[in-house]
Amino acid sequence: MKDFIINPLAGGKDGKKMKKNLALIKARLDQVKEEYRFHFTERARHATKITEELIANGATDVIVVGGDGTLHEVVNGFSQFNKVALGIIPCGTGNDFASALNIPKNPVDALNLILNSTPKFTDFMQMPNVRGINVIGMGIDVDVLKRYEMLKKKTKFGYTKCLIKTLFDFEYTDFSVETEKSAKDYRSFLVVVANGNRFGGGIPVCPVASATDNKLDFLTVTEMKKIKIINAFIKLKQGKVLSIKQANHEKTSFVKVTCPTPYTVNVDGELYENIPFEIKVVSNQLRVYQ
């Protein structure tokens, strides 16, 4: 039995794109005579509750049909990792983690991957209060998301516009970072802990990050002159952020960030206020079709 958790508004609030995708998915499932159930989310955090209930009742395959936000909620409802596998059919605006795993963008191709392959161990990020699977960060990415949430129409181009505006209107943050190799103080406009290698609808924020290497990628870009911001942005879009002189990168199994002022944390595109910014990688538990 395959259980599909569906965000009916993913990919566009009018729901037209999702209806089209679901028709294709249903036709393929009926064609191969696969047993399945569709479960539709109705509100924020609903996917987490649905996942918890499904697994408590013996589900073996939980499949996300939506974007990074729905995936984030489902991962936070996971338990009994040895009995349940996760599938992803990317139907959202960004689909960044699915892209990091090279999951096909076409919903039928993504479904065929689930039907015809064996799930593989995939890392996730554990914080004291919440899990992340793609990217966790604070600083400029949070300011971008806050601008983005105010847009009536959410698109990749809209996210890029918000990023450009924020680049010229941000404040540097002082914080301390502890990893397994070092403990340092930084003054920066960005701190990222990556499991996937992109965010914001395809921006390669940490191109060397891998969700199967049993490590986290810590990245921060420290203070620079305003005139250099444009060049830094271009390098970010080109996947060359690690070549920036002010970039600091490290592979690590845990990261602890301490900030003296109130802060907001971006976990897979969802915003959390003043939660403990302590992250450890969890490997060899979560199995994902990829």
Side-chain angles (χ1 to χ4, degrees):
M1 175 70 73
K2 299 285 191 293
D3 285 288
F4 294 79
I5 299 181
I6 301 158
N7 177 359
L9 302 181
K13 288 192 174 181
D14 58 9
K16 292 181 180 179
K17 182 178 179 180
M18 182 55 75
K19 288 179 182 178
K20 180 179 178 180
N21 288 334
L22 286 181
L24 295 171
I25 292 168
K26 186 178 186 302
R28 179 58 178 156
L29 289 167
D30 291 339
Q31 181 185 35
V32 298
K33 296 180 171 54
E34 180 72 41
E35 292 187 353
Y36 64 92
R37 295 177 293 194
F38 284 175
H39 311 270
F40 293 89
T41 62
E42 299 174 357
R43 57 189 177 275
R45 311 289 188 240
H46 193 197
T48 299
K49 184 177 181 180
I50 294 173
T51 303
E52 291 171 343
E53 292 175 348
L54 287 174
I55 293 175
N57 288 303
T60 58
D61 289 283
V62 175
I63 299 162
V64 178
V65 185
D68 292 310
T70 310
L71 174 61
H72 170 76
E73 292 188 16
V74 168
V75 168
N76 275 277
F78 248 68
S79 61
Q80 302 183 45
F81 292 92
N82 60 322
K83 297 179 180 180
V84 190
L86 173 65
I88 304 172
I89 299 181
C91 295
T93 303
N95 307 311
D96 286 310
F97 192 69
S99 296
L101 295 184
N102 294 313
I103 293 173
K105 295 180 180 179
N106 180 282
V108 176
D109 291 342
L111 175 60
N112 286 335
L113 178 68
I114 295 167
L115 296 174
N116 301 318
S117 68
T118 301
K120 301 175 182 177
F121 283 123
T122 304
D123 302 335
F124 66 90
M125 300 176 285
Q126 184 66 58
M127 304 178 78
N129 303 97
V130 66
R131 291 176 185 146
I133 195 165
N134 187 43
V135 172
I136 298 175
M138 71 177 197
I140 194 172
D141 59 325
V142 170
D143 293 342
V144 174
L145 281 171
K146 288 180 177 179
R147 287 181 187 266
Y148 183 69
E149 285 301 312
M150 296 174 66
L151 297 180
K152 291 183 179 180
K153 188 173 183 180
K154 294 176 173 57
T155 63
K156 293 181 182 180
F157 179 67
Y159 184 92
T160 300
K161 285 177 64 178
C162 291
L163 176 57
I164 293 172
K165 289 180 180 179
T166 306
L167 282 170
F168 294 95
D169 188 31
F170 65 87
E171 294 183 4
Y172 288 100
T173 302
D174 294 305
F175 54 88
S176 300
V177 177
E178 180 184 350
T179 69
E180 62 182 312
K181 298 178 182 179
S182 64
K184 296 181 180 179
D185 295 328
Y186 294 95
R187 181 172 175 78
S188 173
F189 64 82
L190 176 71
V191 55
V192 164
V193 181
N195 187 43
N197 55 26
R198 63 193 72 192
F199 70 177
I203 297 173
V205 65
C206 191
V208 299
S210 169
T212 57
D213 65 355
N214 303 336
K215 291 288 185 180
L216 304 171
D217 284 72
F218 163 71
L219 169 68
T220 187
V221 181
T222 54
E223 188 173 11
M224 66 178 68
K225 294 180 180 179
K226 290 277 187 177
I227 197 171
K228 294 184 178 182
I229 292 293
I230 295 176
N231 183 59
F233 171 70
I234 292 172
K235 287 187 178 295
L236 175 65
K237 293 284 287 184
Q238 292 175 337
K240 298 178 180 179
V241 65
L242 298 183
S243 69
I244 299 172
K245 180 181 178 181
Q246 293 83 358
N248 300 269
H249 171 254
E250 182 181 320
K251 291 274 187 181
T252 181
S253 60
F254 78 91
V255 178
K256 180 178 180 180
V257 178
T258 305
C259 187
T261 57
Y263 58 89
T264 306
V265 181
N266 161 24
V267 186
D268 300 334
E270 303 299 315
L271 299 180
Y272 295 83
E273 298 295 333
N274 296 306
I275 61 173
F277 200 139
E278 302 174 23
I279 309 166
K280 65 178 182 179
V281 65
V282 180
S283 304
N284 302 320
Q285 285 197 27
L286 178 66
R287 295 176 297 125
V288 181
Y289 289 99
Q290 54 178 290

